[in-house]
């Protein structure tokens, strides 16, 4: 069912525990080791699905130290699953470095696709889906954030980014100032969870709208592209 010496990139739920594929569960059961972001978080998922498997944490701080050992396991025929706390690994989450190094060593890397907040938000946004630009998290520093926003001002496709709830009120007026007040904006909050909410407005009205949105939980922000 699984291949030897293979690194599986396994997507896990972004909230609703039922959002995991049969193939993801089979893979997590079959591999020798699960490499994860936070062992406690992944242990919760495994317990829910009654899977017992060794876990090893892998993150930005320990990735360089841990990668050689993982590559050596893979090259001796062990199979590993890489998961993150939620969604698809390596998308604003640890994993890219491991994937890159594994490919360099000729190791087989296989995706087990599933949830990702980007696509879940895009498909319910009502904004064009034929072309989009994902820019990860906006910078925490206001100067860098402005430069970043300017860098995608001309993009014609839908722009998607992750943002923390508390920074949204600060970011909203800057988006309007740089991109123009008329752009459509969609906030996709707590997708697949109890307080799931999708708010559709424009950049001019966003600061006012934010006063009525609970600034709690996880948000994906989508802005319509430049149509001029
Ligand atoms: N790798 C993940 C993925 O594929 O969705 C994203 C990881 S990133 C560290 C976490 C960010 O994704 C959150 O800060 C939030 O912006 C977004 N996010 C994750 N789960 C979400 C959800 N259920 N609803 C809305 N946004 C979510």
């Amino acid at each position: 069912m699984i291949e030897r010496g293979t690194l599986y990139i396994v997507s896990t739920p972004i909230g609703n525990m039922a959002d995991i594929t049969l193939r993801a569960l089979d893979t997590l059961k079959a591999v020798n080791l699960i490499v994860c972001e936070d062992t406690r978080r992944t242990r919760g998922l495994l317990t829910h699905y009654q899977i017992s498997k060794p876990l090893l944490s892998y993150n930005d701080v320990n990735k360089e130290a841990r990668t050689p050992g993982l590559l050596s396991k893979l090259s001796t025929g062990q199979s590993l699953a890489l998961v993150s706390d939620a969604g698809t690994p390596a998308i604003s989450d640890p994993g890219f470095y491991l994937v890159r190094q594994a490919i360099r060593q000729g190791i087989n890397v296989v995706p087990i696709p599933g949830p990702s907040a980007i696509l879940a938000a895009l498909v319910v946004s009502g904004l064009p889906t034929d072309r989009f630009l994902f820019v990860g998290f906006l910078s925490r520093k206001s100067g860098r954030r402005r430069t970043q926003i300017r860098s995608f001002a001309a993009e014609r496709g839908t722009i998607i980014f992750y943002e923390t709830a508390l920074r949204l009120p600060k970011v909203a007026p800057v988006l309007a100032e740089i991109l123009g007040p008329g752009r459509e904006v969609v906030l996709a909050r707590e997708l697949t969870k109890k307080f799931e909410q999708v708010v559709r407005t424009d950049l001019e009205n966003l600061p006012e709208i934010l006063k009525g949105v609970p600034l709690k939980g996880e948000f994906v922000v989508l802005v319509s592209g430049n149509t001029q």
Side-chain angles (χ1 to χ4, degrees), residues 5-9 35 74 78-82 98-99 102 107-111:
T6 297
L7 174 62
Y8 290 92
I9 311 302
V35 179
L74 287 160
Q78 293 196 30
S79 289
L80 310 185
L82 172 73
L98 179 60
V99 169
I107 288 162
N108 196 23
V109 183
V110 170

Side-chain angles (χ1 to χ4, degrees), residues 168 172 175 185 187 201-211:
L168 272 173
L175 287 169
V185 60
L187 305 179
T201 181
D202 56 34
L203 286 179
E204 181 172 13
N205 289 301
L206 182 60
E208 196 53 35
I209 293 276
L210 279 175
K211 292 181 189 160

Side-chain angles (χ1 to χ4, degrees), residues 112-156:
I112 308 291
S116 183
I118 306 169
L119 289 186
L122 178 63
V123 294
V124 295
S125 68
L127 297 178
T129 56
D130 56 333
R131 172 175 165 143
F132 61 89
L133 175 71
F134 171 62
V135 295
F137 284 96
L138 295 186
S139 174
R140 277 189 231 158
K141 304 208 167 131
S142 70
R144 249 193 239 167
R145 191 161 61 217
R146 293 181 83 86
T147 311
Q148 209 178 358
I149 296 170
R150 268 189 226 110
S151 77
F152 55 68
E155 171 58 41
R156 306 192 76 78

Side-chain angles (χ1 to χ4, degrees), residues 14 86 88 91-93 116-117 137 162 190-191 193 218-220:
I14 57 168
T88 299
I91 302 295
S92 297
D93 263 346
S116 183
F137 284 96
Y162 293 151
E190 294 286 87
L191 295 174
K193 302 186 203 175
E218 301 193 281
F219 285 81
V220 180

Side-chain angles (χ1 to χ4, degrees), residues 150-200:
R150 268 189 226 110
S151 77
F152 55 68
E155 171 58 41
R156 306 192 76 78
T158 298
I159 299 142
I160 309 177
F161 54 91
Y162 293 151
E163 192 49 279
T164 61
L166 291 177
R167 272 206 296 271
L168 272 173
K170 248 192 228 168
V171 172
V174 187
L175 287 169
E177 180 201 321
I178 299 175
L179 304 178
R183 299 256 197 136
E184 289 177 76
V185 60
V186 177
L187 305 179
R189 172 175 174 259
E190 294 286 87
L191 295 174
T192 79
K193 302 186 203 175
K194 187 172 174 193
F195 297 107
E196 178 176 279
Q197 185 181 19
V198 180
V199 179
R200 301 176 183 85

Side-chain angles (χ1 to χ4, degrees), residues 19 25 48 99 104 111 115 130 135 154 159 194 198 216-217 224 227:
D19 290 334
L25 292 174
H48 185 86
V99 169
R104 281 202 182 135
D130 56 333
V135 295
I159 299 142
K194 187 172 174 193
V198 180
K216 277 193 239 162
S224 58
T227 50

